[in-house]
Amino acid sequence: MIGSILLCCLCVCFYLLLLVRRWRYERLTSKIPTIPGDLPFIRHAHLLIGDSENLQKFIEDNSNKANKLGGIIKVWIGRRQHFLVTDPDVALTLMNACLNKAYFYEFASSWIGQGIFTAKADTWKAHRKLLNPTFSQHVLVGYLQVFNSRARGLVISLAAEAGRGEFDSFPYLAGYTLETICNTVMGLPEDTSSSIIDQQFVSAADTMLNLLINRVQRVWYHWEWVYGWSGMKREEDRAAKVLKTASYDVLQKRKASKFNSPKDEIKNVGSRQQSFLDLLLEYNSSGLLSDQQVLEEVNTMIVAGYDTVATALHFCLILLGSYPAVQEEVYEE
Ligand code: HEM
Protein backbone atom coordinates (compact mmCIF):
# COMPACT_ATOMS: atom_id res chain seq x y z
CA MET A 1 0.00 0.00 0.00
CA ILE A 2 2.70 2.48 1.11
CA GLY A 3 4.73 1.43 -1.93
CA SER A 4 1.85 2.30 -4.29
CA ILE A 5 1.30 5.68 -2.62
CA LEU A 6 5.02 6.45 -2.90
CA LEU A 7 4.99 5.48 -6.59
CA CYS A 8 1.96 7.73 -7.21
CA CYS A 9 3.68 10.64 -5.42
CA LEU A 10 6.81 10.08 -7.49
CA CYS A 11 4.79 10.09 -10.73
CA VAL A 12 2.96 13.30 -9.71
CA CYS A 13 6.29 14.98 -8.79
CA PHE A 14 7.82 13.92 -12.10
CA TYR A 15 4.81 15.24 -14.01
CA LEU A 16 4.94 18.56 -12.11
CA LEU A 17 8.66 18.83 -12.81
CA LEU A 18 7.97 18.36 -16.52
CA LEU A 19 5.26 21.03 -16.40
CA VAL A 20 7.58 23.52 -14.67
CA ARG A 21 10.36 22.80 -17.13
CA ARG A 22 7.97 23.30 -20.02
CA TRP A 23 6.53 26.48 -18.52
CA ARG A 24 10.01 27.97 -18.08
CA TYR A 25 10.94 26.95 -21.63
CA GLU A 26 7.75 28.44 -23.08
CA ARG A 27 8.25 31.64 -21.07
CA LEU A 28 11.70 32.05 -22.64
CA THR A 29 10.23 32.00 -26.16
CA SER A 30 6.86 33.61 -25.36
CA LYS A 31 7.65 36.80 -27.31
CA ILE A 32 8.18 34.88 -30.54
CA PRO A 33 4.96 34.71 -32.60
CA THR A 34 3.41 31.27 -33.15
CA ILE A 35 1.98 30.12 -36.49
CA PRO A 36 -1.82 29.63 -36.62
CA GLY A 37 -3.45 26.18 -36.47
CA ASP A 38 -2.43 25.17 -32.93
CA LEU A 39 -4.39 22.09 -31.73
CA PRO A 40 -4.30 20.42 -28.29
CA PHE A 41 -1.60 17.75 -27.80
CA ILE A 42 -0.39 17.40 -31.42
CA ARG A 43 -0.15 21.20 -31.78
CA HIS A 44 0.93 22.07 -35.38
CA ALA A 45 1.93 18.50 -36.36
CA HIS A 46 -1.23 18.07 -38.48
CA LEU A 47 -0.04 20.84 -40.81
CA LEU A 48 2.94 18.74 -41.92
CA ILE A 49 0.94 15.75 -43.07
CA GLY A 50 0.58 15.40 -46.85
CA ASP A 51 2.88 15.15 -49.83
CA SER A 52 6.13 17.04 -50.41
CA GLU A 53 4.24 19.85 -52.17
CA ASN A 54 2.28 20.36 -48.96
CA LEU A 55 5.54 20.57 -46.99
CA GLN A 56 6.95 23.07 -49.48
CA LYS A 57 3.79 25.18 -49.16
CA PHE A 58 3.92 24.98 -45.36
CA ILE A 59 7.51 26.25 -45.36
CA GLU A 60 6.80 28.95 -47.95
CA ASP A 61 3.65 30.30 -46.28
CA ASN A 62 5.18 30.36 -42.83
CA SER A 63 8.47 31.83 -44.03
CA ASN A 64 6.44 34.69 -45.52
CA LYS A 65 4.69 35.11 -42.17
CA ALA A 66 8.04 35.05 -40.36
CA ASN A 67 9.32 37.73 -42.73
CA LYS A 68 6.41 39.99 -41.80
CA LEU A 69 6.70 39.27 -38.07
CA GLY A 70 10.35 40.07 -37.43
CA GLY A 71 12.18 37.21 -39.11
CA ILE A 72 11.37 34.36 -36.71
CA ILE A 73 8.24 32.32 -36.03
CA LYS A 74 7.47 29.38 -33.73
CA VAL A 75 6.04 25.98 -34.71
CA TRP A 76 5.04 23.30 -32.19
CA ILE A 77 5.36 19.64 -33.15
CA GLY A 78 3.81 17.87 -30.18
CA ARG A 79 5.71 19.07 -27.11
CA ARG A 80 8.68 20.33 -29.11
CA GLN A 81 9.17 23.89 -30.33
CA HIS A 82 10.79 24.61 -33.69
CA PHE A 83 11.67 27.98 -35.15
CA LEU A 84 11.39 29.09 -38.75
CA VAL A 85 13.99 31.80 -39.25
CA THR A 86 14.17 34.15 -42.22
CA ASP A 87 16.22 37.02 -40.77
CA PRO A 88 19.92 36.41 -41.53
CA ASP A 89 21.06 38.16 -38.33
CA VAL A 90 18.78 35.99 -36.19
CA ALA A 91 20.00 32.93 -38.12
CA LEU A 92 23.63 33.89 -37.47
CA THR A 93 23.01 34.32 -33.73
CA LEU A 94 21.18 30.98 -33.53
CA MET A 95 23.70 29.07 -35.59
CA ASN A 96 26.56 30.28 -33.38
CA ALA A 97 24.65 29.48 -30.20
CA CYS A 98 22.89 26.20 -31.03
CA LEU A 99 25.37 23.66 -32.30
CA ASN A 100 23.23 20.61 -31.57
CA LYS A 101 20.86 19.64 -34.37
CA ALA A 102 17.14 18.96 -33.90
CA TYR A 103 16.18 15.39 -32.97
CA PHE A 104 14.89 14.59 -36.46
CA TYR A 105 18.39 14.83 -37.95
CA GLU A 106 18.86 11.45 -36.25
CA PHE A 107 16.45 10.02 -38.84
CA ALA A 108 19.35 10.09 -41.32
CA SER A 109 21.71 8.21 -39.02
CA SER A 110 21.22 4.77 -40.62
CA TRP A 111 23.01 6.18 -43.66
CA ILE A 112 25.32 8.91 -42.36
CA GLY A 113 25.69 7.99 -38.69
CA GLN A 114 27.42 10.82 -36.83
CA GLY A 115 28.90 12.63 -39.85
CA ILE A 116 29.08 16.44 -39.49
CA PHE A 117 25.55 16.93 -40.80
CA THR A 118 23.95 14.95 -37.96
CA ALA A 119 26.71 14.93 -35.31
CA LYS A 120 26.27 16.13 -31.74
CA ALA A 121 28.05 19.42 -30.98
CA ASP A 122 31.25 17.88 -29.54
CA THR A 123 31.83 15.57 -32.50
CA TRP A 124 30.74 18.30 -34.93
CA LYS A 125 33.31 20.77 -33.55
CA ALA A 126 36.18 18.28 -33.69
CA HIS A 127 35.34 16.88 -37.14
CA ARG A 128 34.44 20.22 -38.71
CA LYS A 129 37.85 21.52 -37.67
CA LEU A 130 39.51 18.52 -39.31
CA LEU A 131 37.45 18.90 -42.50
CA ASN A 132 37.70 22.69 -42.83
CA PRO A 133 40.63 22.58 -45.29
CA THR A 134 38.27 20.99 -47.85
CA PHE A 135 35.63 23.75 -47.58
CA SER A 136 37.49 26.37 -49.61
CA GLN A 137 37.40 28.16 -52.94
CA HIS A 138 40.88 26.84 -53.64
CA VAL A 139 39.63 23.25 -53.45
CA LEU A 140 36.70 24.03 -55.76
CA VAL A 141 38.95 25.65 -58.36
CA GLY A 142 41.16 22.55 -58.26
CA TYR A 143 38.18 20.48 -59.39
CA LEU A 144 37.33 22.64 -62.43
CA GLN A 145 38.68 20.05 -64.84
CA VAL A 146 36.43 17.36 -63.32
CA PHE A 147 33.38 19.68 -63.40
CA ASN A 148 34.02 20.57 -67.05
CA SER A 149 34.61 17.04 -68.16
CA ARG A 150 31.48 15.81 -66.35
CA ALA A 151 29.42 18.70 -67.74
CA ARG A 152 30.48 17.74 -71.28
CA GLY A 153 29.33 14.19 -70.56
CA LEU A 154 25.99 15.51 -69.32
CA VAL A 155 25.48 17.61 -72.44
CA ILE A 156 26.18 14.57 -74.64
CA SER A 157 23.60 12.46 -72.79
CA LEU A 158 21.02 15.28 -72.87
CA ALA A 159 21.59 15.72 -76.61
CA ALA A 160 19.96 12.32 -77.17
CA GLU A 161 16.67 13.87 -75.97
CA ALA A 162 16.87 16.96 -78.21
CA GLY A 163 13.90 17.39 -80.55
CA ARG A 164 11.95 14.53 -78.94
CA GLY A 165 9.49 16.65 -76.94
CA GLU A 166 9.14 16.97 -73.17
CA PHE A 167 11.23 14.77 -70.89
CA ASP A 168 12.29 14.64 -67.24
CA SER A 169 15.87 15.88 -66.98
CA PHE A 170 16.22 15.01 -63.28
CA PRO A 171 17.55 11.44 -63.71
CA TYR A 172 20.33 12.79 -65.98
CA LEU A 173 21.21 15.52 -63.49
CA ALA A 174 21.10 13.12 -60.54
CA GLY A 175 23.48 10.71 -62.28
CA TYR A 176 25.79 13.56 -63.27
CA THR A 177 25.85 14.98 -59.73
CA LEU A 178 26.54 11.63 -58.08
CA GLU A 179 29.36 10.86 -60.47
CA THR A 180 30.89 14.30 -59.96
CA ILE A 181 30.77 13.73 -56.20
CA CYS A 182 32.50 10.39 -56.66
CA ASN A 183 35.26 12.01 -58.72
CA THR A 184 35.77 14.92 -56.35
CA VAL A 185 34.81 13.82 -52.83
CA MET A 186 36.03 10.25 -53.19
CA GLY A 187 38.76 11.01 -55.73
CA LEU A 188 37.67 8.17 -58.04
CA PRO A 189 38.88 8.27 -61.65
CA GLU A 190 36.05 9.01 -64.07
CA ASP A 191 36.00 5.55 -65.63
CA THR A 192 35.49 3.75 -62.30
CA SER A 193 32.82 6.01 -60.81
CA SER A 194 30.09 4.81 -63.17
CA SER A 195 30.66 1.22 -62.05
CA ILE A 196 30.00 2.25 -58.43
CA ILE A 197 27.19 4.70 -59.09
CA ASP A 198 24.90 2.27 -60.84
CA GLN A 199 21.12 2.38 -61.09
CA GLN A 200 20.81 0.48 -57.81
CA PHE A 201 22.84 3.15 -56.00
CA VAL A 202 20.88 6.04 -57.54
CA SER A 203 17.52 4.53 -56.64
CA ALA A 204 18.70 3.63 -53.11
CA ALA A 205 19.82 7.27 -52.60
CA ASP A 206 16.44 8.50 -53.87
CA THR A 207 14.55 6.05 -51.68
CA MET A 208 16.55 7.14 -48.65
CA LEU A 209 15.97 10.87 -49.21
CA ASN A 210 12.24 10.34 -49.86
CA LEU A 211 11.89 8.21 -46.73
CA LEU A 212 13.56 10.92 -44.67
CA ILE A 213 11.10 13.58 -45.83
CA ASN A 214 8.16 11.18 -45.42
CA ARG A 215 9.21 10.38 -41.88
CA VAL A 216 9.50 14.05 -40.94
CA GLN A 217 5.95 14.61 -42.24
CA ARG A 218 4.41 11.56 -40.55
CA VAL A 219 4.88 12.63 -36.97
CA TRP A 220 3.81 9.30 -35.47
CA TYR A 221 6.95 7.85 -37.05
CA HIS A 222 9.08 10.27 -35.04
CA TRP A 223 8.82 7.71 -32.25
CA GLU A 224 11.61 5.25 -32.92
CA TRP A 225 9.59 2.29 -31.59
CA VAL A 226 6.66 3.00 -33.93
CA TYR A 227 8.94 3.56 -36.92
CA GLY A 228 10.92 0.40 -36.14
CA TRP A 229 7.83 -1.71 -36.89
CA SER A 230 6.96 0.04 -40.15
CA GLY A 231 7.49 -1.04 -43.75
CA MET A 232 9.31 2.27 -44.24
CA LYS A 233 11.98 1.17 -41.78
CA ARG A 234 12.53 -2.10 -43.67
CA GLU A 235 12.79 -0.15 -46.93
CA GLU A 236 15.26 2.23 -45.27
CA ASP A 237 17.45 -0.63 -44.04
CA ARG A 238 17.59 -2.13 -47.54
CA ALA A 239 18.53 1.22 -49.13
CA ALA A 240 21.09 2.04 -46.40
CA LYS A 241 22.77 -1.33 -46.99
CA VAL A 242 23.19 -0.66 -50.73
CA LEU A 243 24.59 2.82 -50.11
CA LYS A 244 26.92 1.86 -47.29
CA THR A 245 28.25 -1.19 -49.15
CA ALA A 246 29.12 1.03 -52.15
CA SER A 247 31.05 3.59 -50.09
CA TYR A 248 32.69 0.83 -48.04
CA ASP A 249 33.98 -0.71 -51.29
CA VAL A 250 35.34 2.65 -52.40
CA LEU A 251 37.04 3.14 -49.04
CA GLN A 252 38.72 -0.27 -49.26
CA LYS A 253 39.88 0.40 -52.83
CA ARG A 254 41.29 3.81 -51.94
CA LYS A 255 43.02 2.40 -48.89
CA ALA A 256 44.57 -0.35 -51.00
CA SER A 257 45.71 2.09 -53.71
CA LYS A 258 47.15 4.41 -51.10
CA PHE A 259 49.07 1.50 -49.62
CA ASN A 260 50.34 0.28 -53.00
CA SER A 261 51.23 3.63 -54.46
CA PRO A 262 51.31 6.30 -51.79
CA LYS A 263 52.75 9.02 -54.00
CA ASP A 264 50.97 8.87 -57.36
CA GLU A 265 47.65 7.08 -57.04
CA ILE A 266 46.38 9.04 -54.13
CA LYS A 267 46.38 12.37 -55.92
CA ASN A 268 42.99 13.30 -57.17
CA VAL A 269 42.07 13.02 -60.85
CA GLY A 270 43.24 16.05 -62.73
CA SER A 271 43.52 18.27 -59.70
CA ARG A 272 46.34 19.64 -57.68
CA GLN A 273 44.96 18.83 -54.27
CA GLN A 274 43.96 15.74 -52.39
CA SER A 275 40.41 14.49 -52.59
CA PHE A 276 38.20 14.70 -49.53
CA LEU A 277 38.54 10.96 -48.98
CA ASP A 278 42.34 11.14 -49.20
CA LEU A 279 42.38 13.72 -46.46
CA LEU A 280 40.12 11.53 -44.32
CA LEU A 281 42.39 8.54 -44.95
CA GLU A 282 45.34 10.54 -43.67
CA TYR A 283 43.41 11.26 -40.48
CA ASN A 284 42.55 7.55 -40.42
CA SER A 285 46.23 6.55 -40.64
CA SER A 286 47.15 8.93 -37.85
CA GLY A 287 44.34 7.60 -35.64
CA LEU A 288 42.23 10.78 -35.66
CA LEU A 289 39.27 9.11 -37.40
CA SER A 290 38.18 5.47 -37.34
CA ASP A 291 37.14 3.57 -40.51
CA GLN A 292 33.53 3.99 -39.43
CA GLN A 293 33.93 7.77 -39.02
CA VAL A 294 35.60 8.08 -42.43
CA LEU A 295 32.65 6.24 -44.01
CA GLU A 296 30.15 8.43 -42.19
CA GLU A 297 31.82 11.64 -43.39
CA VAL A 298 32.02 10.39 -46.99
CA ASN A 299 28.35 9.37 -46.92
CA THR A 300 27.51 12.77 -45.42
CA MET A 301 29.13 14.51 -48.39
CA ILE A 302 27.11 12.35 -50.79
CA VAL A 303 23.85 13.13 -48.97
CA ALA A 304 24.61 16.84 -48.63
CA GLY A 305 25.90 17.34 -52.14
CA TYR A 306 23.67 15.07 -54.22
CA ASP A 307 20.04 16.13 -54.05
CA THR A 308 20.87 19.79 -53.36
CA VAL A 309 22.98 20.23 -56.48
CA ALA A 310 20.80 18.03 -58.72
CA THR A 311 17.69 19.96 -57.64
CA ALA A 312 19.36 23.37 -58.10
CA LEU A 313 20.42 22.33 -61.63
CA HIS A 314 16.94 20.99 -62.33
CA PHE A 315 15.31 24.32 -61.39
CA CYS A 316 17.96 26.11 -63.43
CA LEU A 317 17.06 24.11 -66.56
CA ILE A 318 13.32 24.53 -65.96
CA LEU A 319 13.76 28.30 -65.64
CA LEU A 320 15.97 28.52 -68.71
CA GLY A 321 13.38 26.49 -70.64
CA SER A 322 10.62 28.79 -69.40
CA TYR A 323 12.47 31.96 -70.45
CA PRO A 324 13.87 31.27 -73.96
CA ALA A 325 15.26 34.83 -74.28
CA VAL A 326 17.43 34.30 -71.18
CA GLN A 327 18.38 30.84 -72.43
CA GLU A 328 19.53 32.44 -75.69
CA GLU A 329 21.70 34.93 -73.76
CA VAL A 330 23.28 32.12 -71.74
CA TYR A 331 23.92 30.21 -74.97
CA GLU A 332 25.57 33.28 -76.56
CA GLU A 333 27.76 33.74 -73.50
C1 HEM B 1 22.90 23.97 -54.30
C2 HEM B 1 23.60 23.19 -53.53
C3 HEM B 1 23.57 23.16 -52.02
C4 HEM B 1 22.70 23.71 -51.15
C5 HEM B 1 21.44 24.52 -51.45
C6 HEM B 1 23.16 23.37 -49.81
C7 HEM B 1 22.54 23.75 -48.63
C8 HEM B 1 22.98 23.44 -47.35
C9 HEM B 1 22.33 23.81 -46.13
C10 HEM B 1 21.04 24.64 -46.04
C11 HEM B 1 23.05 23.31 -45.11
C12 HEM B 1 22.73 23.43 -43.62
C13 HEM B 1 21.91 22.23 -43.27
C14 HEM B 1 21.58 22.10 -41.81
O1 HEM B 1 22.46 22.24 -40.95
O2 HEM B 1 20.42 21.79 -41.52
C15 HEM B 1 24.16 22.58 -45.68
C16 HEM B 1 25.11 21.92 -44.95
C17 HEM B 1 26.08 21.14 -45.49
N1 HEM B 1 26.38 21.00 -46.84
FE1 HEM B 1 25.40 21.88 -48.35
N2 HEM B 1 24.31 22.62 -49.91
C18 HEM B 1 24.60 22.46 -51.23
C19 HEM B 1 25.65 21.76 -51.78
C20 HEM B 1 26.56 21.02 -51.06
C21 HEM B 1 27.64 20.23 -51.64
C22 HEM B 1 27.94 20.10 -53.13
C23 HEM B 1 28.28 19.64 -50.60
C24 HEM B 1 29.48 18.71 -50.61
C25 HEM B 1 29.89 18.00 -51.62
C26 HEM B 1 27.64 20.08 -49.37
C27 HEM B 1 28.02 19.69 -48.12
C28 HEM B 1 27.43 20.13 -46.96
C29 HEM B 1 27.85 19.69 -45.63
C30 HEM B 1 28.99 18.73 -45.31
C31 HEM B 1 27.01 20.32 -44.71
C32 HEM B 1 27.05 20.21 -43.19
C33 HEM B 1 28.00 21.29 -42.71
C34 HEM B 1 28.11 21.36 -41.21
O3 HEM B 1 27.14 21.07 -40.49
O4 HEM B 1 29.18 21.75 -40.74
N3 HEM B 1 26.59 20.92 -49.68
N4 HEM B 1 24.11 22.69 -47.05
Side-chain angles (χ1 to χ4, degrees):
M1 180 67 179
I2 293 180
S4 314
I5 294 172
L6 264 176
L7 191 68
C8 276
C9 288
L10 264 176
C11 288
V12 171
C13 286
F14 183 65
Y15 182 66
L16 286 176
L17 210 74
L18 280 181
L19 279 186
V20 170
R21 238 186 83 175
R22 183 163 157 185
W23 173 77
R24 285 175 59 186
Y25 185 41
E26 284 192 33
R27 209 172 51 128
L28 274 175
T29 60
S30 59
K31 290 200 177 119
I32 298 173
T34 308
I35 67 163
D38 198 356
L39 295 180
F41 187 59
I42 58 168
R43 315 289 307 253
H44 298 105
H46 63 105
L47 299 174
L48 290 180
I49 299 168
D51 55 17
S52 52
E53 261 179 58
N54 183 56
L55 182 65
Q56 174 74 20
K57 196 167 169 349
F58 172 85
I59 295 172
E60 240 177 72
D61 289 350
N62 289 304
S63 301
N64 287 334
K65 280 192 193 101
N67 252 340
K68 286 185 196 132
L69 296 168
I72 180 165
I73 202 162
K74 196 162 51 186
V75 183
W76 283 94
I77 307 296
R79 63 187 175 83
R80 289 187 164 107
Q81 296 186 77
H82 299 266
F83 302 94
L84 244 161
V85 179
T86 53
D87 182 311
D89 293 328
V90 179
L92 183 66
T93 308
L94 283 176
M95 281 194 280
N96 282 323
C98 311
L99 297 183
N100 274 315
K101 302 289 175 91
Y103 70 96
F104 52 75
Y105 280 72
E106 278 290 313
F107 299 170
S109 62
S110 67
W111 185 4
I112 57 178
Q114 287 295 302
I116 55 169
F117 190 63
T118 37
K120 302 258 180 312
D122 287 347
T123 312
W124 179 81
K125 271 190 209 162
H127 287 196
R128 182 66 212 236
K129 207 169 162 188
L130 288 176
L131 304 182
N132 263 350
T134 59
F135 290 100
S136 75
Q137 188 69 20
H138 170 75
V139 171
L140 276 184
V141 171
Y143 288 136
L144 266 183
Q145 193 184 324
V146 180
F147 296 147
N148 285 338
S149 152
R150 276 292 164 206
R152 276 186 211 105
L154 174 66
V155 170
I156 290 170
S157 17
L158 285 174
E161 297 281 356
R164 293 170 58 187
E166 278 182 24
F167 72 101
D168 182 4
S169 59
F170 192 78
Y172 292 97
L173 300 170
Y176 156 81
T177 311
L178 270 174
E179 289 192 346
T180 308
I181 290 179
C182 275
N183 301 146
T184 53
V185 171
M186 301 193 192
L188 285 175
E190 292 193 26
D191 51 334
T192 53
S193 60
S194 51
S195 60
I196 286 150
I197 304 303
D198 54 9
Q199 198 42 46
Q200 203 193 12
F201 187 96
V202 175
S203 74
D206 268 349
T207 302
M208 207 64 186
L209 292 166
N210 286 334
L211 286 172
L212 277 175
I213 303 291
N214 281 342
R215 189 170 172 197
V216 168
Q217 288 186 266
R218 292 168 173 74
V219 283
W220 54 94
Y221 284 142
H222 289 202
W223 285 303
E224 205 57 52
W225 57 274
V226 178
Y227 187 64
W229 287 96
S230 69
M232 272 169 69
K233 171 68 179 151
R234 285 191 291 281
E235 216 183 323
E236 181 190 309
D237 288 342
R238 276 196 296 274
K241 194 168 168 208
V242 171
L243 296 164
K244 290 204 289 198
T245 307
S247 43
Y248 178 79
D249 286 349
V250 174
L251 175 71
Q252 294 311 320
K253 279 190 190 129
R254 295 298 289 167
K255 269 184 131 175
S257 78
K258 188 178 181 181
F259 182 73
N260 292 333
S261 176
K263 284 211 172 66
D264 308 327
E265 290 282 323
I266 199 69
K267 287 292 166 211
N268 186 35
V269 249
S271 80
R272 289 180 299 278
Q273 81 273 338
Q274 289 176 306
S275 75
F276 178 74
L277 179 55
D278 295 336
L279 180 74
L280 295 185
L281 287 177
E282 275 188 18
Y283 292 142
N284 181 250
S285 317
S286 53
L288 286 167
L289 291 177
S290 66
D291 274 13
Q292 176 68 19
Q293 287 170 326
V294 170
L295 270 180
E296 289 177 355
E297 295 304 350
V298 167
N299 288 335
T300 294
M301 283 292 160
I302 297 175
V303 175
Y306 161 54
D307 205 48
T308 45
V309 173
T311 307
L313 288 173
H314 199 202
F315 279 114
C316 216
L317 289 190
I318 290 171
L319 282 170
L320 284 174
S322 309
Y323 296 93
V326 179
Q327 181 176 323
E328 197 49 41
E329 278 182 46
V330 173
Y331 179 75
E332 288 304 322
E333 194 180 322

